[in-house]
Amino acid sequence: MAFDAAQEEYRRLGLRFAREQSVNDAFSAARAAASFNRRFAWSHDSLPQTDGDRAFHLVARAAELIDRELPFVEAVEGEVLIGEARTLLDEAVALDPTCHDARRMIAAQESPSFEEYYRFLKDGLEAVREDVTARADEIRASGVPGAEAEAALATYPLYRWLSALSARALISGRYRTALAYAEELLALDPSDQGDVRFTAALAYAKLEDAEGLSSLVERCSASVTNRPLPDAWTLLATMALAVRRGDEDGAREALARIVATYPHAGITLTRQDELPDGVFSRLPVAPYSNDELVLAVSEASVLLQEGVDVAGRGSLGSFVARDPGVMEARLADEAAVAPTQQGPEEGSR
Amino acid sequence: MSHDWRQELVDRAVRRYDAEHGPLSEGALEELAATVAADPDPYLRHPSDRALALLVEGLKAYEQSRQGDEFLDDEAYLKARAERMERLQWMCLAALADDENCADAKLVQILMTDQDALEQVAALRALDAELAAAGDDAPGKAPATGDPWDDVFARPRLRVQGALAIKALDAANVAMALDTARGLMDSMADDGLGMRYTAALALARLEDEEGFDALDARFGRHGNAWSNLARALMLYKLDRMAAARRALAGFTSLNEGAAYALLRPTYVEPYLPYRPDAAPGSYEEAVLAVHEADPIVVDAPDFVNWCAAQPGMTEQAAAFAQANGLDW
């Protein structure tokens, strides 16, 4: 799964709250949990928290505004949302100058080019790595109950920083760099909380490194237990590699597996929409849902859009859209959604 | 590359004659070659030689009709282009009527169609496989020089492979482009098809610094428009910015107008079937290098912006435009 700011905040505060409860039986544990849930929802400020927690709360609210609400509003409203999010993030940094998520999200919004955001992340990495590692070590050393869980939570900002850096390197055309950071993160977190292996799969495909991709898939299918293959990223990377070596049948087979795995894949693979990246992390969506495929196809635009073709969508993009299996699936998808989209006028013609 | 089609036809005719009527002595061969060179037509009687002669005529007419293109407005240009494409297509068909296996006519047909590069790559691979399967029905013996290019009857397939390497790069089948280019470089001693240029761009795209350096060393580290641009791209992609800056300076200092060529890319006609000639260090050469690098340049979205921001780049480009009456 991807990182979810709201859930992460819940875990942060839950951990802190639990430490202050004297829980000695099932009944008091249940009561404490109920009390926490009530206060988390209705009187957030009454929960015990540090400035770091407060800053993270603001980050979670900003993430909600930019990643969840912004895509669905008009431009003018959007400006307002972006302004609000910016205020929240500024406050977060004021409360906790080491709130790396907030600093990263501000840079994501402010950087005028891919290059500058990439540069910010790369130049800032060393300091973030040191700070986060020191903090996690400190928490572990404290030996308080739940220290291990809290230390893990404290490390997530570094994971997200590395994920963002890898993703930005990928879209800047720096594939070896993208892989280096993705592999660093996979070494830190073999369970791959942030699904950085998906970014790595696309980078291996860009470098036409089939061995690299299969080694990644092999390693991750052992260490990531909650996501059985195939996922859309691995299939898109496999498809790209097949096309690149001239293996059309292999490519069509990978596309067929996407169509079989994901709902409404025909439409999604034809449209090939590009979405803005989530600013907190990759947007959390349900595994194997159409939303996930939309996300994967959007991230795979680095693969789809490369190379010369007549329509101008990229050599792979055209190949995918023209694939007979994809076309068939698209027609079926369109037929299935048509009745809800056609008005009575349309029907009477 | 510069190619003497007429000489190729002469060489074919001489070898065929020698195979049918020979073996001729060294002196007789030389005499025959001179006679054929003075007037090849009577000696081009074999259907496959006649087919190639027709195609060569078509290619010559195509080249000639391109003269003066720059003085046409868009509409007149498109009309002239459509007409000359149609004429060339007719010549291809005429060649294929003489010899249905004329590889060069098929090659030109593939290259001149408005298809996706990926489809052209598939067609070129199919043609290459077809030529491999057809086997060797060349008359006489190939010269034992070890360089397949010296065998005129082997050239059509080499041309197909050369075109495949360049098209594969266009289609973003980068490893395929590299492997094809390497295969030709390994067999053709003087790299007559200019495959090192394609290989340099492919290695840059794959960020393969070791491979790039080996290629550079193999050709005596003589930089050219392609290798200089490729090096700048590769180092940019590897995020070694100071070195990338120096490589970019190498590109702009070797070729006149290189900065302009990079910042204001122009349309380049499809190669039929060869990369056209351009003098080393010329603006035209830089234009070809930029054209071939385009898919890779676009794949690193901020590369051109970064180039434009380097000291002196835009000034150089603007000065070149002004001196040559080009738009800026």
Side-chain angles (χ1 to χ4, degrees), chain A residues 297-320:
Chain A
V297 168
S298 167
E299 288 180 30
S301 61
V302 290
L303 286 173
L304 299 170
Q305 291 175 8
E306 188 182 1
V308 178
D309 71 319
V310 178
R313 51 194 318 178
S315 68
L316 214 53
S318 279
F319 175 86
V320 169

Side-chain angles (χ1 to χ4, degrees), chain A residues 170 175 201-208 302-303 306, chain B residues 205-206 299:
Chain A
L170 179 74
Y175 308 122
L202 299 179
Y204 280 119
K206 289 295 290 193
L207 290 172
E208 301 190 21
V302 290
L303 286 173
E306 188 182 1
Chain B
R205 166 63 183 73
L206 296 175
D299 194 59

Side-chain angles (χ1 to χ4, degrees), chain A residues 92-335:
Chain A
V93 176
L95 271 171
D96 174 12
T98 62
C99 181
H100 303 303
D101 287 312
R103 292 175 47 236
R104 186 172 52 80
M105 289 160 74
I106 290 171
Q109 295 279 292
E110 298 249 299
S111 301
S113 65
F114 293 161
E115 183 70 15
E116 265 169 82
Y117 183 39
Y118 166 79
R119 199 58 60 202
F120 168 85
L121 292 170
K122 192 174 173 193
D123 293 347
L125 174 63
E126 197 45 53
V128 173
R129 198 191 273 130
E130 272 173 30
D131 179 57
V132 164
T133 314
R135 213 186 304 184
D137 288 348
E138 199 180 305
I139 295 168
R140 278 192 198 96
S142 73
V144 293
E148 204 44 55
E150 193 185 344
L153 286 173
T155 322
Y156 289 173
L158 172 62
Y159 293 179
R160 286 188 283 269
W161 196 283
L162 282 165
S163 291
L165 186 46
S166 182
R168 297 326 281 186
L170 179 74
I171 61 170
S172 305
R174 295 181 165 118
Y175 308 122
R176 297 210 184 265
T177 309
L179 278 178
Y181 293 123
E183 293 288 3
E184 177 182 345
L185 179 48
L186 283 171
L188 284 172
D189 176 24
S191 69
D192 199 17
Q193 299 271 335
D195 295 331
V196 76
R197 67 189 182 287
F198 297 156
T199 307
L202 299 179
Y204 280 119
K206 289 295 290 193
L207 290 172
E208 301 190 21
D209 182 352
E211 274 172 41
L213 179 65
S214 46
S215 144
L216 174 83
V217 168
E218 203 172 304
R219 278 178 287 145
C220 290
S221 53
S223 61
V224 183
T225 46
N226 59 344
R227 279 304 305 268
L229 291 160
D231 58 74
W233 286 268
T234 307
L235 287 171
L236 285 165
T238 306
M239 183 271 300
L241 283 171
V243 169
R244 295 308 176 213
R245 66 172 178 265
D247 173 11
E248 264 193 34
D249 293 345
R252 302 206 187 283
E253 202 183 300
L255 284 172
R257 289 182 77 186
I258 297 179
V259 169
T261 309
Y262 286 88
H264 306 301
I267 287 181
T268 307
L269 287 170
T270 307
R271 291 177 52 115
Q272 299 170 19
D273 287 329
E274 256 189 288
L275 312 177
D277 288 344
V279 292
F280 178 71
S281 72
R282 177 179 284 126
L283 298 180
V285 291
Y288 313 110
S289 65
N290 176 262
D291 282 351
E292 182 174 270
L293 181 61
V294 169
L295 218 56
V297 168
S298 167
E299 288 180 30
S301 61
V302 290
L303 286 173
L304 299 170
Q305 291 175 8
E306 188 182 1
V308 178
D309 71 319
V310 178
R313 51 194 318 178
S315 68
L316 214 53
S318 279
F319 175 86
V320 169
R322 266 205 312 262
D323 174 74
V326 169
M327 284 170 73
E328 197 182 310
R330 173 178 59 86
L331 291 174
D333 289 344
E334 281 170 357

Side-chain angles (χ1 to χ4, degrees), chain B residues 178-263:
Chain B
L178 180 61
D179 292 346
T180 311
R182 274 183 172 154
L184 288 168
M185 281 192 310
D186 288 345
S187 64
M188 290 171 66
D190 68 344
D191 187 31
L193 290 169
M195 286 292 112
R196 60 184 178 278
Y197 307 138
T198 303
L201 291 172
L203 288 162
R205 166 63 183 73
L206 296 175
E207 304 178 23
D208 181 350
E209 199 177 6
E210 213 175 292
F212 188 92
D213 191 60
L215 178 77
D216 200 35
R218 175 172 177 172
F219 289 96
R221 304 205 181 274
H222 297 304
N224 55 65
W226 289 265
S227 69
N228 287 339
L229 179 56
R231 180 181 282 111
L233 259 165
M234 178 179 70
L235 292 166
Y236 173 90
K237 286 159 69 62
L238 289 169
D239 204 359
R240 301 236 301 278
M241 303 312 275
R245 215 166 279 131
R246 285 193 297 277
L248 180 67
F251 174 65
T252 55
S253 61
L254 183 71
N255 280 75
E256 196 200 353
Y260 182 81
L262 182 58
L263 300 184

